[in-house]
Amino acid sequence: MFTHNLGYPRIGSKRELKRASEQFWAGKSTKDELLWIGRQIKRQNWQLQQDAGIDLIPSNDFSLYDHILDTAMLVGAIPERYHALVDGQTNRELDIYFAMARGVQRDGLDIKAMEMTKWFDTNYHYIVPEFTKNQHFKRYSDKIIIDFEDAKQIGIVTKPVLIGPVSFLLLGKEKEAGFHRIDLLEKLLPIYIDILQELAIRGAKWMQLDEPCLTLDLTENEQIAFQQAYQKIKKAVPNLNILVATYFECTGENIYVATTLDIDALHLDLVRCPSQLDDIFEQTDFAQTEKILSLGVVDGRNIWKNDYAKSLKFIQKAIDTLGQERVMIAPSCSLLHSPCDLDLEQNEQVLTPEIKNWMAFAKQKLNEINVLRKLSEPASASLFAQQFTENQQAIQSRKDSKLIHKPQVKARVAALTEQDSHRPSPFSVRQALQLDTLKLPLFPTTTIGSFPQTDDVRVLRANLKKGVISQEEYDAQIAIEIEKSIHWQEEIGLDVLVHGEFERNDMVEYFGEQLSGYVFSQNGWVQSYGSRCVKPPIIYGDVERPVAMTVRWSEFAQSKTQKLMKGMLTGPITILQWSFVRDDQARKTTAFQIAMAIRDEVLDLEKAGIKVIQIDEPAIREGLPLRRADWEYYLQWAVEAFRLSASGVKDETQIHTHMCYSEFNDIIKHIADMDADVITIETSRSQMELLDAFVDFKYPNEIGPGVYDIHSPRVPETEEMLALLEKALVNIPARNLWVNPDCGLKTRRWAETELALKNMIKATTLLREKVKEGVC
């Protein structure tokens, strides 16, 4: 019985890749130095997995930025605008790669980055492939070959991993009308086959092709595409064992497609969809084939220990039906979504031994996979009886712990009524009152909340945690940073100011640190995109707000200006989605607990004189179930959670929300049901394309379509932003249009931030003049 892993975190246990990437982008290190760091991380990961007893160890799961972008490079799906970076015979693969991810603005070039969106219902972001009707594919990168050979040099024959050809196409976007991207499969398959054939020649025995789109609602043509693709692949590469991996959801009606693919093994996510095991045995002929079944029983997306007793039931059922030789044990999905190593958590004041004993990070999950294999084999089960006993004791201690349950929190949620999630008056009434009270100009300007977190600010926070400076010294410096940012915003002419969030480490972690029912790690980092890593807080029990969280600094900031100061909060669904969530109660219940904590903060901000309050919900679409049949229930309680957090204020108080990097078309009605007075969204990378959903729906409330991309260091010119605003104004009433960047500015540098915001203000001034003159 094989054990295998679908993928391992690529950031390094101490975020080595983040630091190396950012040094390279800043021109402080060379390409060779960056690649050397990447190679060390890969080799450490391979060795670690071998030491943990994993039989089939993945390669090509490492990426310098994003695995879908890697695949686009592999098959030569490079949009034409990046061809200008090809310099004669010079190999500029890395330049093109990072330009596609981040854009480029140097040496007379000004090229925008590709779109970025959420990876299914996770907080990871991928680069969206772009396809044209006459798309040409060619093998461009040899990274997958290089990684396989590099692992062989240290004695490990890996299982290369690659996004499958059908999912690669489905995860992309057509950039012109007149075709469907799945039509490109015939052109794409020869590139895949060429790669697989070379890997087989070089000694690969297994190949993992990830086809997560098998868990989505598929058309008949898309289902046929899966069948045809794997018939051709297997015929062309008969000696290479092909494992197709599905994850994040049930295969549902696609189970017949998945089980009849011409492959050697199929992986199912039994954490997100445990019913699949019965379905595959009762509804298909899989047991009568010779195919291997990979059981995803260890949760690749959360940090709780595996319940061995529960997993062994799945494994035993599969063995009884298929025999041991046809069963694999694996995590539910790539461990990309898990922190690296629980052993690095040494501070018992941060993570108490009791709660730590309930957890497993990526390294520990590898051990769980191996122990489950040993417990499943009669010859070794007795030797691992102690591990089983300790595991069950940890599972029971969590169930019995008095840390988890708070009767007053449960009672408050149980007592909620429908009126608690509604504002006193409809938007039309509120808008008139807010126009009179706030006295904002046409096309009000603002930012999304955060300003650049400089090295000085980060060092300041680190020194506070180390005890190098006192809380009083820290607060005094934060106050200086806030005042500086306020004066600068006033100078450039922003209408609604923000305090900059200099005191905050992360938009979720900051709140989790002040809510009960949360605990934190020191090194529990996971990748969000590129070099951006987050350290999700951990919800282990009932959540409530003991004291005010943001009022002090918002009130201080408002006292330093006559302009409106915006209070900044993170919404309940985003806090839920971007945390590691307890798995012993419904997510809806946890969301409502968080919503009531945020509601308390909103009301305290209003009492403190803050008239504009933003409750960010960038993750609300991210939490959308992958199957449309499950959407309505989720959207109902997700929208209600937001409304619970926002609906206690007076009509005159303006509630904003922010969303980014999501497709809104399918859920636009529910976004409108959130009833925020103003919504700010990302539209710059798509050239206002994402605004179409709001326009088609005739979204009734005010909108701020982001006019420049903050995830790229590129600074757009005034004319470019003005053109985007004029495009938006065609379909949005002037009194409903706000002007803002597409996201917070925390990750940017001050030089580019200052220039970009000044250009944004200039563009707004020009637009106001044009409207006044009747030009638009």
Side-chain angles (χ1 to χ4, degrees):
M1 184 162 51
F2 283 120
T3 59
H4 76 108
N5 183 26
L6 277 68
Y8 200 75
R10 53 218 189 192
I11 58 175
S13 60
K14 297 181 180 179
R15 292 185 294 162
E16 296 92 333
L17 181 60
K18 171 185 175 64
R19 296 183 181 90
S21 298
E22 292 175 354
Q23 286 285 306
F24 175 72
W25 296 336
K28 297 179 180 178
S29 67
T30 66
K31 176 178 76 171
D32 289 341
E33 289 172 319
L34 173 61
L35 294 176
W36 186 85
I37 293 293
R39 189 182 188 201
Q40 298 310 304
I41 294 172
K42 284 183 280 188
R43 288 191 163 203
Q44 290 166 8
N45 289 351
W46 293 327
Q47 191 63 58
L48 185 150
Q49 291 173 83
Q50 186 179 61
D51 294 343
I54 301 300
D55 296 316
L56 298 179
I57 296 167
S59 62
N60 199 49
D61 55 330
F62 176 85
S63 174
L64 288 173
Y65 201 96
D66 167 56
H67 58 286
I68 301 299
L69 178 60
D70 291 350
T71 309
M73 292 291 291
L74 175 68
V75 302
I78 301 171
E80 187 175 351
R81 63 185 180 278
Y82 302 104
H83 294 183
L85 291 170
V86 178
D87 183 15
Q89 299 302 311
T90 304
N91 183 357
R92 301 192 65 182
E93 181 177 325
L94 205 60
D95 292 335
I96 296 171
Y97 179 82
F98 284 130
M100 291 165 71
R102 306 176 72 242
V104 63
Q105 194 172 41
R106 58 175 172 75
D107 301 331
L109 295 173
D110 188 0
I111 310 174
K112 295 181 180 179
M114 295 170 69
E115 287 186 51
M116 184 165 63
T117 197
K118 293 297 177 70
W119 178 246
F120 293 83
D121 58 350
T122 74
N123 185 31
Y124 179 78
H125 304 64
Y126 75 94
I127 301 295
V128 181
E130 298 179 10
F131 301 122
T132 58
K133 187 174 183 179
N134 297 315
Q135 181 76 44
H136 175 67
F137 297 106
K138 67 175 182 178
R139 185 164 150 188
Y140 187 79
S141 168
D142 285 327
K143 173 183 172 294
I144 191 170
I145 304 297
I146 292 169
D147 284 2
F148 180 75
E149 289 293 337
D150 194 28
K152 280 172 60 179
Q153 288 184 19
I154 60 172
I156 299 175
V157 178
T158 58
K159 169 189 54 138
V161 176
L162 186 62
I163 189 72
V166 183
S167 289
F168 175 68
L169 291 174
L170 292 179
L171 291 168
K173 178 177 285 189
E174 300 92 347
K175 299 305 290 185
E176 61 182 354
F179 80 109
H180 190 284
R181 55 198 182 280
I182 203 67
D183 300 337
L184 302 173
L185 184 61
E186 288 298 314
K187 293 182 177 180
L188 180 63
L189 279 177
I191 312 302
Y192 269 75
I193 288 170
D194 179 51
I195 294 162
L196 300 187
Q197 287 175 335
E198 180 168 348
L199 285 167
I201 291 170
R202 290 175 178 269
K205 303 300 182 185
W206 280 91
M207 179 76 200
Q208 177 183 316
L209 291 170
D210 286 0
E211 293 284 9
C213 288
L214 277 168
T215 65
L216 303 180
D217 297 313
L218 298 176
T219 67
E220 184 178 354
N221 283 343
E222 290 163 352
Q223 290 180 334
I224 292 171
F226 275 105
Q227 298 281 9
Q228 293 177 340
Y230 284 91
Q231 285 175 0
K232 293 181 178 180
I233 287 173
K234 193 60 183 174
K235 182 177 180 180
V237 199
N239 297 323
L240 182 63
N241 291 305
I242 302 295
L243 181 150
V244 164
T246 70
Y247 39 78
F248 298 155
E249 186 50 275
C250 302
T251 50
E253 65 272 13
N254 300 325
I255 195 168
Y256 306 106
V257 177
T259 54
T260 56
L261 293 177
D262 197 355
I263 57 176
D264 301 281
L266 176 67
H267 174 82
L268 299 179
D269 182 342
L270 298 182
V271 174
R272 295 298 289 268
C273 185
S275 63
Q276 289 190 102
L277 191 61
D278 287 337
D279 291 344
I280 200 170
F281 293 149
E282 296 171 5
Q283 299 179 24
T284 78
D285 295 328
F286 189 89
Q288 282 69 57
T289 70
E290 296 181 353
K291 295 173 186 173
I292 294 172
L293 187 62
S294 169
L295 308 179
V297 290
V298 172
D299 194 345
R301 289 181 55 173
N302 214 328
I303 46 71
W304 306 112
K305 267 186 178 172
N306 183 265
D307 183 342
Y308 287 169
K310 182 178 178 181
S311 293
L312 287 170
K313 290 179 181 178
F314 288 120
I315 296 168
Q316 192 58 52
K317 180 176 288 189
I319 290 173
D320 290 345
T321 305
L322 303 175
Q324 276 196 332
E325 69 281 359
R326 289 182 57 195
V327 176
M328 288 180 172
I329 303 175
S332 59
C333 60
S334 170
L335 298 178
L336 164 70
H337 309 288
S338 294
C340 290
D341 187 1
L342 188 63
D343 292 340
L344 297 176
E345 304 301 319
Q346 297 295 322
N347 190 334
E348 294 185 359
Q349 293 180 331
V350 176
L351 190 60
T352 65
E354 179 180 5
I355 297 176
K356 181 180 177 180
N357 189 44
W358 303 337
M359 297 179 184
F361 289 1
K363 179 182 175 183
Q364 289 69 40
K365 291 177 187 294
L366 297 175
N367 181 65
E368 290 181 332
I369 294 165
N370 190 40
V371 171
L372 284 168
R373 184 254 297 271
K374 296 298 184 182
L375 289 170
S376 302
E377 296 174 339
S380 57
S382 61
L383 300 176
F384 285 80
Q386 183 61 33
Q387 284 93 324
F388 178 82
T389 299
E390 291 173 355
N391 172 267
Q392 292 302 286
Q393 289 173 344
I395 298 299
Q396 192 61 46
S397 75
R398 183 177 169 214
K399 291 179 180 178
D400 296 340
S401 176
K402 295 181 180 179
L403 294 174
I404 293 175
H405 303 290
K406 297 180 180 177
Q408 72 276 13
V409 176
K410 298 181 190 298
R412 189 182 186 195
V413 170
L416 289 171
T417 66
E418 184 178 355
Q419 187 56 41
D420 291 320
S421 58
H422 290 275
R423 297 284 294 271
S425 303
F427 172 71
S428 58
V429 173
R430 301 197 309 266
Q431 185 179 41
L433 289 170
Q434 290 165 16
L435 285 169
D436 182 61
T437 302
L438 304 180
K439 295 180 169 52
L440 288 167
L442 196 63
F443 313 128
T445 57
T446 190
T447 63
I448 302 306
S450 59
F451 277 137
Q453 294 255 329
T454 63
D455 291 340
D456 289 343
V457 171
R458 296 179 191 278
V459 169
L460 187 69
R461 188 179 301 117
N463 285 340
L464 176 66
K465 289 188 176 182
K466 294 175 185 176
V468 175
I469 61 174
S470 67
Q471 185 69 50
E472 292 73 20
E473 291 173 303
Y474 174 80
D475 290 348
Q477 289 299 313
I478 291 295
I480 290 171
E481 293 291 338
I482 291 173
E483 285 199 66
K484 282 165 50 181
S485 75
I486 290 171
H487 294 152
W488 180 77
Q489 291 174 81
E490 290 176 327
E491 287 175 9
I492 67 169
L494 281 164
D495 299 310
V496 178
L497 313 189
V498 297
H499 78 286
E501 303 181 16
F502 301 106
E503 80 285 7
R504 304 185 188 184
N505 44 16
D506 174 80
M507 67 180 292
V508 172
E509 184 177 4
Y510 178 78
F511 291 95
E513 286 175 340
Q514 302 178 79
L515 295 169
S516 65
Y518 270 87
V519 73
F520 293 84
S521 64
Q522 290 177 291
N523 298 287
W525 298 98
V526 293
Q527 185 182 25
S528 178
Y529 65 88
S531 67
R532 170 71 168 152
C533 299
V534 294
K535 186 154 58 71
I538 299 160
I539 305 175
Y540 71 89
D542 289 334
V543 178
E544 65 179 341
R545 186 199 73 149
V547 296
M549 302 180 286
T550 67
V551 175
R552 174 194 175 185
W553 288 119
S554 293
E555 192 172 24
F556 168 80
Q558 184 64 81
S559 73
K560 300 299 179 181
T561 181
Q562 295 300 308
K563 289 197 169 186
L564 292 167
M565 178 60 60
K566 186 163 55 171
M568 298 301 307
L569 303 172
T570 303
I573 300 303
T574 298
I575 291 178
L576 181 83
Q577 282 292 125
W578 293 0
S579 299
F580 290 119
V581 182
R582 58 189 291 192
D583 56 1
D584 61 338
Q585 73 175 11
R587 292 173 71 87
K588 172 184 175 180
T589 302
T590 304
F592 279 20
Q593 291 179 0
I594 300 169
M596 297 310 292
I598 298 300
R599 182 188 183 95
D600 292 342
E601 189 71 12
V602 169
L603 291 174
D604 280 351
L605 283 169
E606 184 181 56
K607 289 175 186 176
I610 305 300
K611 296 180 174 62
V612 180
I613 302 172
Q614 182 170 307
I615 308 172
D616 288 338
E617 281 291 22
I620 198 161
R621 195 193 189 288
E622 172 189 308
L624 197 66
L626 301 186
R627 290 305 178 96
R628 189 176 290 269
D630 302 321
W631 283 13
E632 189 59 36
Y633 174 68
Y634 161 77
L635 288 168
Q636 178 272 323
W637 65 255
V639 169
E640 186 176 357
F642 176 85
R643 293 175 67 129
L644 283 171
S645 70
S647 294
V649 296
K650 301 172 185 175
D651 288 339
E652 292 83 355
T653 298
Q654 190 174 73
I655 296 293
H656 289 223
T657 192
H658 172 68
M659 298 179 184
C660 56
Y661 297 103
S662 292
E663 297 290 345
F664 298 116
N665 304 60
D666 295 325
I667 63 166
I668 187 64
K669 179 186 179 298
H670 296 89
I671 293 175
D673 288 343
M674 291 168 68
D675 200 27
D677 298 303
V678 181
I679 183 171
T680 52
I681 58 173
E682 179 279 322
T683 54
S684 56
R685 283 200 179 198
S686 66
Q687 293 294 290
M688 292 287 171
E689 181 182 313
L690 291 180
L691 189 60
D692 292 347
F694 292 82
V695 172
D696 294 343
F697 179 75
K698 294 181 172 52
Y699 185 78
N701 299 15
E702 298 177 20
I703 307 177
V707 295
Y708 81 90
D709 174 22
I710 69 90
H711 295 86
S712 167
R714 177 181 173 273
V715 177
E717 296 294 336
T718 298
E719 293 74 15
E720 180 181 324
M721 295 194 214
L722 178 60
L724 289 175
L725 286 170
E726 289 176 339
K727 189 174 181 180
L729 192 57
V730 170
N731 293 299
I732 299 176
R735 72 171 183 172
N736 285 5
L737 180 61
W738 283 66
V739 182
N740 46 264
D742 68 356
C743 204
L745 298 161
K746 176 182 177 180
T747 60
R748 298 272 52 91
R749 297 182 183 277
W750 267 113
E752 62 203 46
T753 295
E754 290 175 354
L755 182 55
L757 287 180
K758 286 178 181 178
N759 288 349
M760 187 184 84
I761 297 296
K762 291 177 185 176
T764 306
T765 301
L766 290 172
L767 185 65
R768 287 170 180 162
E769 291 173 356
K770 284 191 171 189
V771 169
K772 185 177 180 180
E773 295 168 1
V775 177
C776 62

